[in-house]
């Protein structure tokens, strides 16, 4: 019987593993695709305190190694179900079968929604980004597009308009879903161009993105040269495995607070898959530490 089973080996899950191991708990981390999580696809991370510039890959590798060195067992496997048992939880997986644990930490993350266009995946890291705070610096003085009409898109556009020459804000409707105050701030900026009632229908450039085709509601098309495109059309939380242990908000995120307690004793939810204001590396890691220490306290109380 394991003390802690962590599902997801991104910054939240690996930090949770580090803390649980250092507290002497027998810990297993199960990850279905990439140890280190989505950050490993970021060419350069410049907002991680105390490391002014580090590649996402190096950061992910270091996190993984640190968790392993602390004693965590890492499995590359896909979890298919988590069930409550008499003494804890049964975590079933595709390859490893069943794992038994006294506590479970879900750190399954959230994936940015895609536009659904041909070659979209190819351009990720080569012109397409999902995070202005992470990647905006690479487009300093350049021309970028932002797709979306929610608060994230409006905030990304504001952030980018401070560092880029021109920001094209592309939204499929006349009205923005995001706060009016953000739209007003954007409309006062001379380097922000609004493209309402427009969608991106094609991505161009080889190997890097150099432009997009905009398709307007009236059927007309426009070729828009761009150095980068920030897609901010929402996220899909990976909630399938934990939704029976907690309540979800309208977006499908675990509707729990900073304590990361799912509402079912022994179950914790950490990182981007829970409701939160700021989804950044450091906040995901903070959740990992919080969830792991909460699991340790729960285990210690059980004796
Ligand atoms: P969101 O509010 O769900 O907005 C997503 C936007 O993307 C919508 O405008 C939507 O268009 C558009 N969209 C969706 N699919 C699309 C597609 N396939 N092609 C083109 N456009 C598409 O997501 P969000 O902006 O990430 O915000 C998520 C939540 O976090 C919201 O509740 C938001 O208010 C909150 N948030 C708050 C803050 C804050 O400072 N308080 C900051 C960021 C986010 P439609 O409008 O046509 O549906």
């Amino acid at each position: 019987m394991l003390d802690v089973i962590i599902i997801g080996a991104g910054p939240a899950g690996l930090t949770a593993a580090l803390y649980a191991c250092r507290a002497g708990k027998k810990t297993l981390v199960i990850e279905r695709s990439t140890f280190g999580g989505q950050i490993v696809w970021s060419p350069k991370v410049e907002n991680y305190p105390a490391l002014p510039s580090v590649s996402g890959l190096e950061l992910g590798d270091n996190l993984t190694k640190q968790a392993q060195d602390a004693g965590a067992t890492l499995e590359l496997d896909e979890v298919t179900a988590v069930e409550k048992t008499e003494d804890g939880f049964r975590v079933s997986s595709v390859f490893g079968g069943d794992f038994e644990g006294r506590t479970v930490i879900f750190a399954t993350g959230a994936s940015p929604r895609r536009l659904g266009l041909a070659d979209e995946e190819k351009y990720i890291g080569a012109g397409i980004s999902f995070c202005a705070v992470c990647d905006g610096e690479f487009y300093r003085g350049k021309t970028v597009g932002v797709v979306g009409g929610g608060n994230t898109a409006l905030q990304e556009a504001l952030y980018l308009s401070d560092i880029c020459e021109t920001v094209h804000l592309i939204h499929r409707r006349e009205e923005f879903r995001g706060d009016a105050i953000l739209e007003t701030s954007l409309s006062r900026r001379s380097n922000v161009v609004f493209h309402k009632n427009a969608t991106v229908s094609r991505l161009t450039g080889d190997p890097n993105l150099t432009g997009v085709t905009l398709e307007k509601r009236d059927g007309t098309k426009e070729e828009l040269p761009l150095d980068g495109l920030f897609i901010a059309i929402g996220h899909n939380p990976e909630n399938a495995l934990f939704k029976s242990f907690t309540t979800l908000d309208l977006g499908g995120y675990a509707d729990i607070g900073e304590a990361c307690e799912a509402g079912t004793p022994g179950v914790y939810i950490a990182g981007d898959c829970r409701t939160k204001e700021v989804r950044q590396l450091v906040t995901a890691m903070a959740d990992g530490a919080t969830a792991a220490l909460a699991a340790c306290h729960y285990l210690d109380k059980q004796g």
Side-chain angles (χ1 to χ4, degrees), residues 133-196:
V133 175
C134 318
D135 298 332
E137 188 57 32
F138 306 123
Y139 300 96
R140 181 175 283 274
K142 297 188 174 173
T143 296
V144 298
V146 175
V147 190
N151 275 324
T152 302
L154 301 185
Q155 283 187 342
E156 301 262 284
L158 273 174
Y159 182 93
L160 290 164
S161 70
D162 279 335
I163 53 179
C164 296
E165 185 174 80
T166 308
V167 176
H168 294 274
L169 179 58
I170 303 156
H171 179 39
R172 64 184 178 184
R173 288 182 207 276
E174 181 63 32
E175 306 295 335
F176 286 105
R177 187 186 286 265
D179 298 343
I181 192 166
L182 296 175
E183 183 182 356
T184 306
S185 300
L186 282 166
S187 64
R188 290 196 184 121
R189 302 209 171 184
S190 58
N191 64 340
V192 176
V193 183
F194 287 80
H195 300 266
K196 292 181 177 178

Side-chain angles (χ1 to χ4, degrees), residues 23-298:
K25 308 302 180 201
K26 205 173 161 198
T27 302
L28 168 70
V29 186
I30 307 175
E31 163 62 45
R32 72 173 172 196
S33 61
T34 311
F35 290 110
Q38 293 178 35
I39 193 64
V40 305
W41 308 118
S42 284
K44 220 191 271 180
V45 178
E46 293 180 331
N47 60 1
Y48 188 75
L51 292 180
S53 181
V54 60
S55 77
L57 188 60
E58 191 183 348
L59 200 65
D61 280 351
N62 282 343
L63 271 170
T64 306
K65 185 167 182 312
Q66 199 176 1
Q68 268 176 318
D69 289 350
T73 302
L74 270 54
E75 293 281 349
L76 193 61
D77 201 343
E78 178 155 6
V79 173
T80 50
V82 180
E83 292 163 86
K84 179 87 189 85
T85 60
E86 207 173 305
D87 352 335
F89 301 89
R90 181 177 305 112
V91 175
S92 307
S93 73
V94 173
F95 303 113
D98 291 348
F99 301 95
E100 305 282 337
R102 294 173 64 200
T103 63
V104 178
I105 298 175
F106 294 93
T108 45
S111 355
R113 282 194 202 123
R114 310 292 205 258
L115 294 168
L117 296 173
D119 289 338
E120 195 169 349
E121 298 297 314
K122 173 184 109 175
Y123 289 119
I124 295 171
I128 284 187
S129 168
F130 300 96
C131 173
V133 175
C134 318
D135 298 332
E137 188 57 32
F138 306 123
Y139 300 96
R140 181 175 283 274
K142 297 188 174 173
T143 296
V144 298
V146 175
V147 190
N151 275 324
T152 302
L154 301 185
Q155 283 187 342
E156 301 262 284
L158 273 174
Y159 182 93
L160 290 164
S161 70
D162 279 335
I163 53 179
C164 296
E165 185 174 80
T166 308
V167 176
H168 294 274
L169 179 58
I170 303 156
H171 179 39
R172 64 184 178 184
R173 288 182 207 276
E174 181 63 32
E175 306 295 335
F176 286 105
R177 187 186 286 265
D179 298 343
I181 192 166
L182 296 175
E183 183 182 356
T184 306
S185 300
L186 282 166
S187 64
R188 290 196 184 121
R189 302 209 171 184
S190 58
N191 64 340
V192 176
V193 183
F194 287 80
H195 300 266
K196 292 181 177 178
N197 300 308
T199 54
V200 175
S201 61
R202 202 164 71 100
L203 306 166
T204 44
D206 186 24
N208 292 333
L209 184 87
T210 51
V212 301
T213 305
L214 291 187
E215 205 161 308
K216 315 271 181 64
R217 188 164 280 179
D218 62 12
T220 56
K221 287 188 180 179
E222 179 186 344
E223 298 303 322
L224 189 63
L226 294 176
D227 298 303
L229 182 68
F230 289 79
I231 301 176
I233 59 171
H235 278 76
N236 294 323
E238 300 282 348
N239 62 20
L241 293 170
F242 63 68
K243 60 186 176 193
S244 60
F245 294 105
T246 193
T247 47
L248 301 179
D249 68 15
L250 289 176
Y253 295 91
D255 195 5
I256 59 169
E258 295 293 318
C260 297
E261 287 166 352
T264 301
V267 180
Y268 307 88
I269 302 175
D272 285 3
C273 52
R274 79 169 179 88
T275 307
K276 50 169 52 204
E277 283 293 316
V278 178
R279 292 194 170 87
Q280 290 288 302
L281 260 178
V282 288
T283 59
M285 290 173 175
D287 271 17
T290 303
L293 293 177
C296 293
H297 291 153
Y298 170 85

